[in-house]
Amino acid sequence: MIYSVALSLLLGFELTYYLLIVQTGIVAHYNSDLATLFPMFLGGVMGTWLSGISWMGLKNPLHKIIVALTLQLFLSFLYPDFNIFSLFLLGLAVGFMAPLGIYLFKAKQQRELFFALAIAYTTGTCFFTSAVDDRVFMAIIFTSIALFCAIVLRNYKVNTEAKTLSYSFISYLPLMLWILLDSNLFETLSRHAGIDIWSKETSMIAIFHIAGLVAAYFVDASKIKQHFFIAALFIASYSLSYFELPLLLAMVYPFTISYYNVVVFTTLSKEVDLSKLAFMMIFVGWIASGLGLAIALSRILH
């Protein structure tokens, strides 16, 4: 029971850190300037890759997580004014956490995953409109909770026998597409003054985030049907954005995010090889989201 709660809190607050501190905090602080943010992206890619190999004999994922979160906590005190070196180190710390946090979960730990995502999306929604430059206390609190949970879990053993699958690169392509589409739409909406759903429809967004999690949790569908459903949800989200229908968008888009992320995390948690998971996370996470951000900045949608 303690381990289940700690797992949910660890992943939940690390995801919240990524959403509020990295994705909508630092990126917004530097006005999505890709040249300025490149050191963080580079550090993220390197950290993700390094998480899959031994660190001078250190192989235990929990021990690596404790090191990564300690670095992240130190850097959180510098928020939001980073230099090239500290941006790189922050990317390194967040990159470490991306595959390591997912690797702790067994594919069937849906309840823990449900609560982790619920924490991330409800907290992220509630504080989305807070002043970007005043989130240092959030960075410290979120990281401290995650670090405390990692220490509680320090003797936790990952059940590798439950990770019986290893997908091909092609199998991960749909996940990359969903993340690219999400990154593009999210950045587009956050920069579009005419579709301000987060400040006006906060409660609605939180409710439909939970609804998406519940749907993904209880609906038992084949992989093909799941991907077709997610495709339909993204088509609906983009259409509502294009026609500027904020109320409907505040219902459909959060549902889409929650639903597809359960599919993404569940699929990734089945990967038996940590080094392969780390390699795939470079594409699924950093490259896909980075391309989505770059496309959004080109203003193709709006």
Side-chain angles (χ1 to χ4, degrees):
M1 179 63 181
I2 294 177
Y3 282 167
S4 294
V5 173
L7 277 171
S8 295
L9 292 175
L10 172 59
L11 181 60
F13 280 100
E14 181 60 21
L15 285 174
T16 307
Y17 185 94
Y18 179 80
L19 290 172
L20 289 174
I21 305 306
V22 178
Q23 187 178 21
T24 63
I26 294 172
V27 172
H29 177 73
Y30 290 105
N31 198 32
S32 302
D33 185 339
L34 296 181
T36 302
L37 295 170
F38 181 75
M40 185 172 70
F41 175 82
L42 179 62
V45 171
M46 289 188 62
T48 302
W49 173 67
L50 289 171
S51 67
I53 63 177
S54 173
W55 299 356
M56 295 181 291
L58 187 64
K59 298 180 180 180
N60 189 314
L62 261 307
H63 297 165
K64 292 180 181 179
I65 285 174
I66 291 172
V67 172
L69 287 173
T70 300
L71 174 61
Q72 182 176 296
L73 180 60
F74 170 75
L75 293 168
S76 293
F77 286 94
L78 304 179
Y79 179 90
D81 297 311
F82 295 93
N83 56 33
I84 293 176
F85 182 64
S86 54
L87 272 175
F88 173 79
L89 288 179
L90 182 64
L92 201 67
V94 175
F96 287 150
M97 288 300 302
L100 291 172
I102 295 172
Y103 190 71
L104 297 180
F105 283 75
K106 295 183 294 185
K108 293 183 178 180
Q109 286 179 305
Q110 292 292 294
R111 182 178 60 183
E112 289 83 353
L113 178 59
F114 175 92
F115 284 112
L117 292 176
I119 290 169
Y121 290 132
T122 53
T123 307
T125 300
C126 290
F127 291 102
F128 182 85
T129 57
S130 63
V132 168
D133 290 348
D134 296 333
R135 295 181 183 178
V136 61
F137 73 96
M138 296 185 195
I140 295 169
I141 291 173
F142 298 156
T143 306
S144 297
I145 294 173
L147 179 57
F148 175 77
C149 291
I151 294 172
V152 171
L153 288 163
R154 64 188 181 280
N155 295 321
Y156 175 77
K157 301 295 183 183
V158 178
N159 186 357
T160 54
E161 293 180 0
K163 297 175 178 289
T164 56
L165 298 176
S166 185
Y167 291 102
S168 64
F169 183 84
I170 294 177
S171 298
Y172 284 105
L173 288 178
L175 309 187
M176 299 178 203
L177 176 61
W178 307 143
I179 291 174
L180 184 152
L181 291 174
D182 183 19
S183 177
N184 175 46
L185 184 55
F186 182 86
E187 181 65 20
T188 298
L189 294 177
S190 65
R191 300 171 71 87
H192 194 297
I195 317 178
D196 184 11
I197 61 174
W198 281 277
S199 62
K200 297 178 180 178
E201 306 293 345
T202 304
S203 299
M204 185 75 74
I205 291 172
I207 290 170
F208 277 88
H209 267 308
I210 300 300
L213 294 176
V214 171
Y217 187 80
F218 286 105
V219 174
D220 185 15
S222 66
K223 186 190 303 182
I224 298 297
K225 289 181 179 178
Q226 282 182 330
H227 288 313
F228 273 113
F229 183 52
I230 294 170
L233 289 172
F234 268 112
I235 290 172
S237 297
Y238 271 77
S239 299
L240 293 170
S241 170
Y242 181 79
F243 291 109
E244 299 190 8
L245 299 171
L247 181 61
L248 290 175
L249 185 63
M251 299 177 186
V252 176
Y253 184 42
F255 184 97
T256 304
I257 294 173
S258 294
Y259 188 93
Y260 97 80
N261 267 307
V262 171
V263 175
V264 169
F265 278 97
T266 302
T267 302
L268 292 171
S269 67
K270 295 178 181 178
E271 181 58 59
V272 66
D273 187 351
L274 177 57
S275 60
K276 182 177 179 181
L277 173 62
F279 177 74
M280 294 309 308
M281 284 293 294
I282 293 174
F283 295 91
V284 173
W286 293 100
I287 293 179
S289 60
L291 284 175
L293 174 60
I295 293 171
L297 293 176
S298 69
R299 300 183 181 275
I300 293 176
L301 181 59
H302 286 290

